[in-house]
Amino acid sequence: MEDGLDPMQVAAGAAAVLVADMLKRSWESARNAMERLFKRGREADEASVGQELQLLDTAHRRLNESAESERADLAKRLEQELLIQLGAFLQKNPGLVPDLQDLVDQSDQTDEGTGVRANVRSNIGTQVLIAGRDVNTGNFTSRAPEGEK
C-alpha cells in the first residue's frame, strides 16, 4: 500500500475508538462519520450502507444495555466483531484506509485529553503495544505491574 497504512491495524484502532465512543455522548457524531465513510465504499448502496450501520447500532445497543459488571468483557467482544466488520470493509475499499485512519486520529484529538496518546504510522514488520492496563490479544496477555494498577 503506497500510504504505508496496514488496513487491519487501522481497523483495530477504529474498532477500539468506536467501542469507546459508544459509551460517550460523542457516539452520534462517530456514527455519522462512519455512515459517510460507508457511503463512499465501492459497493455503496442504500442496502449495504444500512447493513453496515445496523451492525454498529446493534453493537451500540448491546453495550449500553449491558449490566455494568458485564460491560468490560462485552466491550472486548464487540471490539473484535467491529475489527472483522471494518477489516472486511477495508479489504473491499482499500482506498478508504487513510480516511478511516483520519477518523481515528480526529477522535483522539476530541477526547478530553486524559490518558496516553500515541501515533504510530508506517510501522512495517513490527507490532506496537501501548496500554495503560492489562492487554489481551489472542494468545498474548500482558498485565500491568501490580504497583501501577
Side-chain angles (χ1 to χ4, degrees), residues 2 4 27 34 74 82 85 94 99 118 135 145:
E2 70 277 351
W27 167 243
M34 291 305 298
L74 179 58
L82 292 174
Q85 176 188 357
D99 297 330
V135 175

Side-chain angles (χ1 to χ4, degrees), residues 89-110:
F89 177 78
L90 292 177
Q91 281 185 325
K92 295 177 200 170
N93 302 284
L96 295 177
V97 172
D99 297 330
L100 184 57
Q101 181 63 53
D102 288 343
L103 290 176
V104 171
D105 293 344
Q106 289 172 12
S107 177
D108 287 345
Q109 292 170 4
T110 59

Side-chain angles (χ1 to χ4, degrees), residues 19-122:
V19 169
D21 282 348
M22 287 178 182
L23 293 171
K24 297 179 186 174
R25 287 185 213 158
S26 60
W27 167 243
E28 200 60 39
S29 175
R31 184 194 183 280
N32 291 339
M34 291 305 298
E35 181 177 14
R36 287 189 299 275
L37 183 75
F38 292 145
K39 285 181 177 179
R40 294 177 45 220
R42 281 190 304 167
E43 299 172 7
D45 59 23
E46 193 172 320
S48 66
V49 172
Q51 289 171 344
E52 297 286 0
L53 290 174
Q54 183 178 13
L55 292 171
L56 290 182
D57 291 339
T58 299
H60 175 255
R61 187 177 59 257
R62 285 173 54 200
L63 188 60
N64 283 281
E65 291 176 356
S66 67
E68 187 70 36
S69 61
E70 301 170 358
R71 197 162 286 161
D73 288 336
L74 179 58
K76 288 179 188 177
R77 287 194 309 273
L78 291 176
E79 200 171 312
Q80 290 299 310
E81 291 173 17
L82 292 174
L83 168 62
I84 293 166
Q85 176 188 357
L86 296 173
F89 177 78
L90 292 177
Q91 281 185 325
K92 295 177 200 170
N93 302 284
L96 295 177
V97 172
D99 297 330
L100 184 57
Q101 181 63 53
D102 288 343
L103 290 176
V104 171
D105 293 344
Q106 289 172 12
S107 177
D108 287 345
Q109 292 170 4
T110 59
D111 277 347
E112 288 113 31
T114 60
V116 175
R117 293 187 188 272
N119 188 355
V120 179
R121 293 187 184 251
S122 302

